[in-house]
Amino acid sequence: MPSRPRLYFDGGCRPAGMETAVVLRGVAYIADDLGPGDSMDAEWHALIAAVRLAQAQGVADPVFLGDSRAVIAQATGAAKARGPALDHLAAFHALTATMPLHVRYVRRSRNLAGIALDRRHDGAVRQPFPCVMSS
């Protein structure tokens, strides 16, 4: 049985605003200057961006991998969402209502989306995968 396609997601906060990265099939899709917010907002935006990318690319039965235990727990129903997370959760449920849902935790050191953001800011000359920039 073939493995499910994996989408790695990560969000971060920078002085210019939130940013997200999603990695699918070795390509990093990065969005930045997403406005003000905290790290939880950024992680939610990244997960939602991963879902939208999977749908746009026609990815069937994907697995979403991220390193935010809190967002993953809320998305899977293991923890209750509160405050601004309620709006993110509602948007997430609206997008995923008709698709199988597999959201899993992955250590930060194995999160390809987090690695893409780190390398982008470290100014590393060698990128492990091409980046597609969007705002």
Side-chain angles (χ1 to χ4, degrees):
M1 179 172 169
S3 64
R4 292 184 177 105
R6 296 180 182 142
L7 287 96
Y8 295 85
F9 67 93
D10 194 34
C13 294
R14 306 290 297 171
M18 293 180 291
E19 64 184 0
T20 63
V22 177
V23 174
L24 170 63
R25 297 181 182 118
V27 178
Y29 298 83
I30 297 175
D32 53 11
D33 298 332
L34 299 176
D38 61 21
S39 60
M40 283 287 287
D41 290 323
E43 293 286 352
W44 269 111
H45 282 289
L47 176 54
I48 290 168
V51 171
R52 287 184 174 140
L53 179 62
Q55 291 171 338
Q57 296 284 325
V59 177
D61 203 18
V63 176
F64 301 99
L65 300 167
D67 58 36
S68 173
R69 289 184 190 269
V71 168
I72 292 166
Q74 291 170 6
T76 60
K80 187 170 183 161
R82 302 185 195 298
L86 287 170
D87 292 333
H88 297 307
L89 182 61
F92 175 74
H93 282 309
L95 288 169
T96 60
T98 61
M99 66 188 296
L101 189 58
H102 311 285
V103 184
R104 306 277 187 267
Y105 171 78
V106 64
R107 288 188 319 240
R108 173 70 178 174
S109 63
R110 293 185 172 226
N111 185 347
L112 298 181
I115 292 167
L117 288 177
D118 287 346
R119 291 202 175 169
R120 180 177 184 230
H121 295 297
D122 288 345
V125 174
R126 253 183 91 204
Q127 294 284 336
F129 24 67
C131 290
V132 176
M133 305 295 286
S134 64
S135 295

